[in-house]
Amino acid sequence: MSEQYEYVPHRLLRRRVRDIASGTEGELMAVINENVSECLTYQRWMELAYIRAASGREFTTAVENVIPAYDQPQPTRRRRDIGSA
C-alpha cells in the first residue's frame, strides 16, 4: 500500500460519534481520503474515518458508518424483542 492520502473536512470532527458497523463510540479525529490499493497498476481511493475510542486507541471505519453519538445510550433491540422464539 502506498502512502497517498489527503485530509477531508467533516461536520462531526472532534465530536462524539458511533461506528454503526461495530457499535463502538469515540471521538472523530480525522477523515482521510486514502489510497487503499495494494497494486501499483491502479489506485483505489476510500474515505476512512479515524475514531479514538475511550481506551485511547484509534480505529478506522468507512465514513458512511459514522453517525453522531447521543449522550444517552440508544436502546438496542434484543432478539426476544424482535419476536423470534
Side-chain angles (χ1 to χ4, degrees), residues 22-38:
S22 68
T24 306
E25 291 188 8
E27 183 179 347
L28 181 61
M29 303 306 291
V31 175
I32 296 179
N33 192 19
E34 189 171 336
N35 181 7
V36 295
S37 175
E38 294 183 4

Side-chain angles (χ1 to χ4, degrees), residues 16-19 23-27 51-54 59 69-70 73:
R16 276 189 51 171
V17 295
R18 176 180 291 128
D19 171 25
T24 306
E25 291 188 8
E27 183 179 347
I51 300 173
R52 181 175 293 159
F59 64 95
Y70 301 100

Side-chain angles (χ1 to χ4, degrees), residues 6 9 16 20 27-28 43 49-50 61 64 68 70 74:
E6 63 184 359
R16 276 189 51 171
I20 60 172
E27 183 179 347
L28 181 61
Q43 295 182 356
Y50 284 76
T61 189
E64 294 82 15
Y70 301 100
Q74 299 298 309

